[in-house]
Amino acid sequence: MITPHQIKENQQILTYIYRADETMSAMGYTEHSTAHVCRVAHFAEKILSTLDYPKRSCELAWIAGYMHDIGNVINRIDHAQSGAVMAFRILDNLGMPADEIATICSAIGNHDEHTAYPVNPVAAALILADKTDVRRSRVRTKDPAQFDIHDRVNYAVEKASTTITKEHGVVLDLTIDTSISPVLDYFEIFMGRMVLCRKAAAKLDLNFQLIINGQSVL
């Protein structure tokens, strides 16, 4: 059985994560380093654990979260599909059973909002964990003169918390400095992601709620 610890200690996977983040940096995208993938991995696992899914399903969610962005090493375009193919080869060579590989690769291949769909619980957990990672520290440059709209929106987030309970579902609560970025800009960039989060939550029989500056907006 391939464990999350083995995946995290795998130098091949770690190299792809580092190099993928280098690619994203060169293209001007926000941080997609180990900080991002570890956050996603832990929260994806937590979502399924909170909902009492089997321990192995939770571990598969962690693995999918940790590996989900390795396809960026090839190109941002279709990185979900590229990453799924890369993950297949790595996990197959490690000896992971085919049914577990299929679950992970389906999740990775369905996490980008342009082509995504919560095809299974692991995919749903990955989507929710990935799309709710909104924070100021993901902005690479601290010079507002160099910000594009993605930088402004992320940098405007003064506080972000995502909670998961059986009673209230998934709640993303943001405090945004509207002098840096109006709330409308957030929706311009993230509306597709938030709608996808609602679909992912529904796959897990949960509600998804977005709160911005104390107001429920979704």
Side-chain angles (χ1 to χ4, degrees):
M1 183 179 293
I2 305 301
T3 66
H5 178 74
Q6 288 173 286
I7 295 297
K8 192 171 185 178
E9 295 298 312
N10 186 290
Q11 291 302 304
Q12 181 185 20
I13 296 172
L14 189 60
T15 296
Y16 291 145
I17 292 171
Y18 281 139
R19 295 297 297 273
D21 187 50
E22 287 180 3
T23 299
M24 297 298 282
S25 178
M27 296 174 69
Y29 283 88
T30 52
E31 174 265 323
H32 283 70
S33 68
T34 51
H36 171 61
V37 300
C38 285
R39 279 175 175 259
V40 172
H42 287 299
F43 192 52
E45 180 183 42
K46 181 180 178 180
I47 290 170
L48 295 192
S49 177
T50 299
L51 300 176
D52 298 323
Y53 276 80
K55 180 181 178 181
R56 188 55 179 164
S57 295
C58 300
E59 290 178 341
L60 295 182
W62 191 99
I63 294 170
Y66 189 74
M67 299 180 71
H68 79 281
D69 268 342
I70 58 175
N72 283 316
V73 75
I74 297 174
N75 198 294
R76 179 62 177 173
I77 298 173
D78 296 331
H79 77 282
Q81 288 74 31
S82 300
V85 173
M86 293 172 65
F88 166 80
R89 180 170 181 178
I90 294 167
L91 298 174
D92 187 48
N93 286 340
L94 290 174
M96 180 176 278
D99 63 329
E100 295 187 349
I101 294 175
T103 297
I104 292 171
C105 288
S106 294
I108 293 174
N110 278 282
H111 84 270
D112 183 74
E113 62 267 20
H114 300 294
T115 55
Y117 192 83
V119 293
N120 57 48
V122 170
L126 172 56
I127 288 168
L128 288 164
D130 182 37
K131 305 312 174 191
T132 57
D133 185 18
V134 184
R135 50 191 163 85
R136 178 171 288 184
S137 58
R138 294 193 70 183
V139 179
R140 298 180 193 274
T141 178
K142 305 309 176 187
D143 181 2
Q146 298 181 32
F147 285 175
D148 64 10
I149 189 171
H150 295 83
D151 293 327
R152 286 200 310 275
V153 167
N154 279 278
Y155 196 78
V157 177
E158 296 179 327
K159 182 180 179 182
S161 66
T162 310
T163 56
I164 165 74
T165 63
K166 294 178 182 179
E167 296 78 15
H168 300 103
V170 180
V171 180
L172 173 58
D173 191 348
L174 303 177
T175 301
I176 293 178
D177 183 344
T178 55
S179 69
I180 297 174
S181 177
V183 173
L184 185 61
D185 280 359
Y186 180 90
F187 281 106
E188 180 179 343
I189 298 301
F190 290 118
M191 177 55 81
R193 301 179 191 183
M194 297 299 97
V195 171
L196 181 59
C197 282
R198 188 161 59 184
K199 293 179 181 178
K203 178 69 175 181
L204 300 172
D205 295 322
L206 296 173
N207 294 317
F208 176 77
Q209 184 178 13
L210 172 63
I211 298 173
I212 298 180
N213 293 350
Q215 300 295 316
S216 180
V217 294
L218 185 66

